């Protein structure tokens, strides 16, 4: 396989353009919870989509790899032994994880897969993952069902595997425990995860609000239901909420995000704010509350 | 202070008062017979000469100060010569008519030539005094004692007057469900009532008359609120950032702030991106509403000016001028376009940093967004954020009661 074409983004948080703030906690987490992001893309989407991923949220990953059918040393992208096409998505996923397993397994604790039209907030992903062990066989994302008893993760909303989960996935293809059973990437991967006993994690926040989202914010956040969404509602594993309860303050991902919206989300997440505003949701306080409630 | 500022300050101190007096007297002499409004605008210029007398907020840079002084010196020079020209002409007339005309004519020619001559070798400065009102910097706020800062958080309170009509019912509902909840008081003023939504029905179709009535009502019902924000429901406002902008400004001084535009000689605040008025500005405005010549209720008969321009004209008569609201880096805080549109524009120019080329972190208003986009902005501003980035703001604003989307 080709040598590493990863984009190192070390020290990214401290160079961030945000001034006038204390981001020690974010820096701590960045060092403690290392995330390798891999972005599913292709040669014809590099300038129209992938480059905007590279300019926005990918900078917040500890390391990012752009997976394509062709290697491009300038972008850079990793060339996988596949062809382009919707029916090749699972092959791309398998090859991508095999590449990561061979070259980068020990460079990160968690491994995120995203599309080139997914927007991810890495800090909020790390906050979720910090509560778990990377050597635990577990993975997180937007939980869907039926088809897989324990549920499976939406491909577009992005999903993240622990190091142990990646190991089991790749080894399953070596032993034949898992095969290319279907071109539907997220479903097939979910089936394999169940077969090798990788657990499905609950990615909801302390108030049971979803963090990974399979659609852009506008679809989730606006209160009224539109009939178009009924098919989507039936996939959600947890009861779907729309309006303000749809989405955690510490949202992790949105999907079907075109380039303009990517910068807009970056602006909303990291720049635009209400000065002095005391947020209603205090994650640390909520964690203490829910912990004391359990015992 | 930079050396150049010191020089200007010194010059102004030495020559300023004398020049101001001379300029004023000269102007009154020469232009006494001019049309009333012209004289008034000139007297306004006079007021502008007295740069020391302007509130500090209006002098934001070296450039403003230099322009002030330049205008003083240049006008005085011209006017002084003009006086001389006139008096010489009168003298010459005593000896012989023709000689007098020639002499007078020569001198007036000289005067007009000098009029085009710029002082100090600088290019001829257009009489464009664009006022910039900047948000306080972090350092300025940190210098205030903590007790004072907390007091300010509570003291800066905003009355929102939102001008609606049933035609824009969806925007009206969206404003009610989103940003207006962050006003200390939000009152909707409509031209005719709508069953679904509550508003003060002014029963007035004419936009300018409606605005006048709304402002009167706002003033009468403000209680102890001292800042007024006037907007349409197609605008989205972040009131906390507005409070930050006016935090260290005295509402008993006249302030008229927003996205300042120029139309000919008139500088006005664009309605669509929201208008901010201090209590004093509103008081002066309501006083001049009673003057039917200067500030007629049924609009200027010959041409129908927009409400934003009529407002600016009326305010100008009371000595209140439009100021452009900016952050500490000079980026505009009041936007007549939506965040999405501004991002797209920035992206089209392919800059190294799309967001840096777009909008301020402390933006106050956006306009032209769909209701759905406004709901997304509500989520983006008051909720969505990256864990672990904490701000040590000098003020604290609590979330409003009975609201679930912030």
């Amino acid at each position: 396989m080709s040598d590493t074409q990863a984009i190192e983004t070390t020290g990214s948080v401290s160079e961030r353009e945000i001034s006038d703030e204390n981001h020690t906690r974010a820096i701590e987490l960045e060092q403690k919870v290392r995330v390798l992001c891999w972005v599913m893309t292709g040669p014809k989407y590099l300038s129209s989509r992938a480059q905007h991923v590279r300019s926005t949220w990918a900078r917040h990953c500890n390391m990012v790899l752009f997976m394509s059918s062709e290697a491009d040393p300038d972008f850079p992208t990793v060339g996988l032994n596949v062809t382009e096409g919707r029916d090749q998505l699972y092959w791309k996923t398998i090859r991508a994880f095999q590449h990561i397993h061979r070259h980068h397994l020990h460079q990160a604790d968690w491994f995120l897969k995203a599309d080139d039209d997914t927007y991810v907030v890495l800090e909020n992903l790390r906050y979720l993952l910090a509560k778990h062990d990377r050597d635990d066989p577990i993975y997180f994302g937007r939980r869907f069902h039926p088809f897989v008893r324990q549920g499976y993760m939406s491909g577009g909303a992005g999903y993240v595997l622990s190091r142990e989960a990646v190991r089991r996935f790749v080894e399953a293809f070596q032993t034949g425990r898992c095969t290319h059973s279907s071109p539907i990437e997220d479903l097939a991967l979910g089936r394999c995860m169940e077969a090798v006993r990788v657990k499905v994690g609950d990615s909801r926040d302390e108030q049971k609000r979803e963090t990974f989202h399979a659609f852009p914010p506008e679809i989730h956040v606006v209160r009224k239901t539109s009939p178009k969404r009924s098919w989507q509602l039936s996939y959600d594993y947890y009861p779907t909420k729309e309006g303000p309860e749809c989405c955690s303050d510490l949202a992790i991902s949105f999907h079907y995000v075109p380039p303009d919206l990517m910068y807009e989300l970056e602006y909303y997440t990291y720049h635009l704010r209400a000065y002095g505003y005391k947020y209603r949701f205090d994650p640390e306080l909520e964690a203490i509350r829910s912990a004391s409630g359990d015992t | 202070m930079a050396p150049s500022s010191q020089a200007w300050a010194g010059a102004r101190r030495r020559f300023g008062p004398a020049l101001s007096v001379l300029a004023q007297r000269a102007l009154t002499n020469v232009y006494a017979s001019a049309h009333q409004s012209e004289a008034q605008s000139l007297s306004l210029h006079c007021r502008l000469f007295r740069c020391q007398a302007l509130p500090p907020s209006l002098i934001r840079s070296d450039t403003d100060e230099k322009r002030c002084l330049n205008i003083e010196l240049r006008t005085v020079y011209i006017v002084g010569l003009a006086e001389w020209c006139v008096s010489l002409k009168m003298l010459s007339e005593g000896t012989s008519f023709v000689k007098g005309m020639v002499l007078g004519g020569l001198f007036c020619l000289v005067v007009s030539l000098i009029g085009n001559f710029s002082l100090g070798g600088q290019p001829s400065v257009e009489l464009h005094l664009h006022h910039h009102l900047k948000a306080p910097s972090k350092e300025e706020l940190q210098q205030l004692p903590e007790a004072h800062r907390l007091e300010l958080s509570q003291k800066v309170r905003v009355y929102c007057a939102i001008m609606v009509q049933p035609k824009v019912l969806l925007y009206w509902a969206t404003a009610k469900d989103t940003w207006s909840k962050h006003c200390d008081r939000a009152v909707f003023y409509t031209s005719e009532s709508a069953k679904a939504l509550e508003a003060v029905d002014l029963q007035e179709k004419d936009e300018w008359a409606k605005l006048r009535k709304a402002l009167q009502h706002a003033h009468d019902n403000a209680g102890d609120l001292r800042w007024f924000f006037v907007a349409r429901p197609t605008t989205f406002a972040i009131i906390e950032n507005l409070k930050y902008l006016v935090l260290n400004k005295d509402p008993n001084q006249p302030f008229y702030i927003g996205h300042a535009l120029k139309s000919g000689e008139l500088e006005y605040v664009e309605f669509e991106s929201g208008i901010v008025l201090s209590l004093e500005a509103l008081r002066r405005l309501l006083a001049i509403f009673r003057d039917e010549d200067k500030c007629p209720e049924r609009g200027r008969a010959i041409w129908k000016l927009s409400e934003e321009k009529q407002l600016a004209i009326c305010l100008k008569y009371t000595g209140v001028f439009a100021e452009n609201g900016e952050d500490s880096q000079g980026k505009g805080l009041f936007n007549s376009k939506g965040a999405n549109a501004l991002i797209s524009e920035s992206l089209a120019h392919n800059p190294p940093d799309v967001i840096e080329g777009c909008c301020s972190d402390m933006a106050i208003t956006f306009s032209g967004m769909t209701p759905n986009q406004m709901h997304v902005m509500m989520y983006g501003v008051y909720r969505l954020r990256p864990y672990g980035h904490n701000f040590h703001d000098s003020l604290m604003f609590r979330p409003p009661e009975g609201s679930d989307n912030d």
Side-chain angles (χ1 to χ4, degrees):
Chain A
M1 274 273 177
S2 57
D3 53 14
T4 180
Q5 284 167 303
I7 300 172
E8 293 282 348
T9 49
T10 48
S12 41
V13 172
S14 45
E15 288 156 18
R16 203 67 69 233
E17 58 282 295
I18 312 163
S19 56
D20 193 27
E21 62 166 305
N22 163 24
H23 43 244
T24 348
R25 189 77 190 102
I27 295 175
E28 268 172 34
L29 270 191
E30 190 182 9
Q31 289 157 1
K32 199 182 125 203
V33 183
R34 298 172 303 161
V35 180
L36 183 154
C37 306
W38 75 263
V39 181
M40 177 104 80
T41 186
K44 63 177 182 180
Y45 293 115
L46 290 187
S47 58
S48 57
R49 292 180 182 181
Q51 77 153 308
H52 302 297
V53 170
R54 192 182 55 185
S55 306
T56 56
W57 64 265
R59 294 175 306 154
H60 303 255
C61 304
N62 295 76
M63 189 186 297
V64 61
L65 294 168
F66 290 89
M67 300 293 190
S68 170
S69 54
E70 286 166 31
D72 179 332
D74 297 317
F75 193 86
T77 62
V78 172
L80 304 169
N81 187 13
V82 291
T83 52
E84 291 295 325
R86 277 198 71 78
D87 57 337
Q88 298 294 304
L89 290 178
Y90 193 38
W91 275 123
K92 256 181 164 168
T93 307
I94 296 162
R95 296 276 176 260
F97 276 117
Q98 285 171 339
H99 174 95
I100 288 167
H101 182 272
R102 179 169 303 159
H103 300 280
H104 303 291
L105 196 61
H106 292 279
Q107 290 173 317
D109 307 309
W110 299 86
F111 301 82
L112 169 80
K113 176 262 170 181
D115 287 346
D116 52 19
D117 60 350
T118 308
Y119 182 82
V120 185
V121 184
L122 262 299
E123 287 83 352
N124 295 341
L125 177 61
R126 288 193 187 96
Y127 174 66
L128 167 72
L129 299 175
K131 302 171 214 166
H132 295 90
D133 183 356
R134 61 133 194 264
D135 295 317
D136 217 14
I138 193 169
Y139 77 128
F140 294 92
R142 176 73 176 218
R143 199 166 174 186
F144 274 179
H145 76 334
F147 310 124
V148 180
R149 192 165 356 116
Q150 69 171 6
Y152 63 100
M153 302 308 183
S154 154
Y159 49 77
V160 57
L161 275 61
S162 66
R163 189 192 284 176
E164 178 59 25
V166 174
R167 193 177 278 129
R168 290 192 189 189
F169 179 73
V170 171
E171 279 162 18
F173 280 86
Q174 287 165 355
T175 61
R177 186 82 185 77
C178 292
T179 59
H180 182 272
S181 52
S182 140
I184 305 173
E185 162 236 339
D186 46 13
L187 188 47
L189 186 129
R191 284 209 171 103
C192 182
M193 292 283 106
E194 192 170 64
V196 298
R197 306 241 273 274
V198 171
K199 290 174 290 191
V200 152
D202 181 353
S203 56
R204 294 176 302 170
D205 71 10
E206 289 82 354
Q207 285 181 354
K208 300 289 181 238
R209 288 165 157 166
E210 295 271 14
T211 53
F212 289 81
H213 301 96
F215 291 94
E218 196 171 322
I219 304 292
H220 293 279
V221 152
V222 179
R223 277 180 223 272
K224 62 181 197 302
T225 336
S226 59
K228 248 197 319 196
R229 292 174 46 204
S230 50
W231 72 264
Q232 178 247 328
L233 294 175
S234 68
Y235 279 151
D236 280 337
Y237 186 93
Y238 303 111
T240 311
K241 298 180 214 167
E242 50 188 42
E245 288 296 305
C246 71
C247 316
S248 175
D249 287 19
L250 303 183
I252 293 172
S253 74
F254 292 99
H255 185 218
Y256 297 120
V257 177
D260 290 31
L261 185 57
M262 262 195 208
Y263 292 102
E264 206 181 319
L265 288 174
E266 185 94 346
Y267 177 57
Y268 288 151
T269 309
Y270 296 98
H271 292 265
L272 184 65
R273 65 189 186 92
Y275 186 81
Y277 186 66
K278 188 161 180 358
Y279 296 111
R280 284 187 203 273
F281 179 65
D282 182 342
E284 259 98 17
L285 202 59
E286 295 285 339
I288 294 168
R289 271 197 206 129
S290 56
S292 57
D294 286 337
T295 52
Chain B
M1 254 208 310
S4 62
S5 325
Q6 277 179 328
W8 285 115
R12 233 192 38 228
R13 249 181 281 118
R14 254 178 298 150
F15 299 118
L19 286 175
S20 304
V21 173
L22 191 60
Q24 279 199 82
R25 229 188 291 145
L27 277 171
T28 329
N29 281 349
V30 175
Y31 295 109
S33 59
H35 188 269
Q36 207 190 18
S37 64
E38 211 185 291
Q40 284 200 339
S41 77
L42 282 164
S43 70
L44 289 173
H45 288 322
C46 254
R47 200 183 155 278
L48 293 169
F49 290 162
R50 295 154 77 109
C51 293
Q52 306 99 303
L54 284 176
S57 65
L58 289 185
I59 304 181
R60 275 284 142 189
S61 63
D62 267 4
T63 328
D64 280 347
E65 293 195 25
K66 281 184 200 156
R67 281 195 183 132
C68 253
L69 187 55
N70 262 354
I71 290 155
E72 288 187 51
L73 291 176
R74 188 162 74 132
T75 315
V76 161
Y77 210 98
I78 297 165
V79 163
L81 281 169
E83 272 209 281
W84 196 20
C85 163
V86 167
S87 42
L88 262 169
K89 204 174 153 193
M90 280 169 15
L91 260 172
S92 342
E93 271 166 13
T95 55
S96 121
F97 182 71
V98 174
K99 224 166 72 174
M101 284 296 285
V102 170
L103 216 58
L106 268 174
F107 270 106
C108 287
L109 192 67
V110 168
V111 164
S112 54
L113 281 174
I114 289 170
N116 290 326
F117 174 75
S118 324
L119 276 169
Q122 282 175 339
S124 168
V125 169
E126 186 204 351
L127 215 75
H128 170 74
L129 285 145
H130 192 100
H131 301 132
H132 304 265
L133 190 128
K134 286 210 161 89
S137 69
K138 185 178 64 166
E139 290 76 27
E140 277 179 71
L141 282 185
Q142 279 170 354
Q143 278 166 25
L144 301 170
E146 169 138 6
H148 189 193
R149 274 186 258 145
L150 287 173
E151 195 193 315
L152 280 177
S153 304
Q154 284 147 11
K155 259 182 72 180
V156 184
R157 301 174 75 218
V158 179
Y159 184 113
C160 296
I162 305 162
M163 314 298 293
V164 297
Q165 48 183 317
K167 201 168 69 175
V168 289
L169 196 70
L170 187 53
Y171 284 99
W172 179 350
T174 305
K176 195 163 173 67
D177 192 24
T178 59
W179 63 267
S180 70
K181 292 189 276 192
H182 290 249
C183 304
D184 293 282
R185 172 121 39 107
V187 180
F188 292 80
Y189 294 96
T190 184
S191 51
E192 54 180 291
S193 56
K195 281 211 178 71
L197 296 166
E198 204 183 287
V200 172
D201 187 353
L202 299 171
Q203 292 170 337
E204 181 65 67
K205 282 284 159 63
D206 179 65
E207 288 300 317
W208 173 233
K210 186 178 153 193
L211 181 60
R212 288 170 63 120
K213 286 192 174 150
L215 289 171
Q216 184 69 57
H217 183 276
H219 174 266
D220 298 340
N221 290 278
D224 59 355
L225 272 54
R226 293 198 175 76
W227 289 97
F228 298 84
F229 177 63
V230 190
R232 298 188 176 121
T234 42
T235 304
F236 187 102
I238 304 168
I239 299 297
E240 288 81 4
N241 293 349
L242 172 55
K243 291 185 177 182
Y244 180 61
L245 177 67
V246 299
L247 188 62
N248 56 353
K249 317 287 187 282
D250 181 4
N252 294 317
Q253 292 293 320
F255 286 100
Y256 165 45
I257 311 164
H259 180 211
L261 295 174
K262 213 161 178 346
S263 170
E265 279 302 310
L266 180 71
E267 196 145 10
Y268 65 99
V269 167
E270 189 182 37
F271 203 158
E272 198 53 39
S273 23
I275 303 173
V276 181
L277 293 167
S278 68
L279 181 59
E280 177 59 20
L282 184 58
R283 278 200 190 120
R284 292 193 190 186
L285 185 62
L286 295 175
I288 203 146
F289 277 170
R290 288 180 242 136
D291 186 332
E292 265 297 306
D293 288 320
K294 297 203 179 99
C295 194
E297 183 170 357
R298 291 293 149 184
R300 294 169 187 264
I302 300 169
W303 62 92
K304 189 91 171 70
L305 283 179
S306 59
E307 310 83 81
E308 56 197 2
K309 288 183 182 155
Q310 297 206 49
L311 191 70
I313 291 170
C314 294
L315 279 166
K316 211 169 168 185
Y317 279 122
T318 69
V320 182
F321 302 90
E323 296 186 83
N324 198 46
E326 298 167 1
D327 67 11
S328 51
Q329 288 152 1
K331 269 198 201 144
L333 295 170
F334 296 83
N335 297 292
S336 55
K337 298 181 184 167
N340 49 331
L342 292 167
I343 294 270
S344 299
E345 274 176 24
S346 180
L347 193 53
H349 292 121
N350 200 20
D353 188 332
V354 173
I355 289 166
E356 182 60 36
C358 161
C359 325
S360 172
D361 288 12
M362 305 300 297
I364 295 174
T365 60
F366 292 95
S367 186
M369 295 164 76
T370 67
N372 280 2
Q373 286 166 342
M374 293 206 241
H375 284 290
V376 174
M377 182 169 263
M378 191 74 178
Y379 171 69
V381 169
Y382 292 107
R383 296 180 52 208
L384 180 64
R385 60 194 183 278
Y387 177 79
H389 293 254
N390 300 308
F391 292 88
H392 296 305
D393 293 334
S394 303
L395 310 173
M396 187 184 73
F397 300 113
R398 291 191 178 283
E401 302 263 314
S403 177
D404 64 353
N405 57 357
D406 52 19

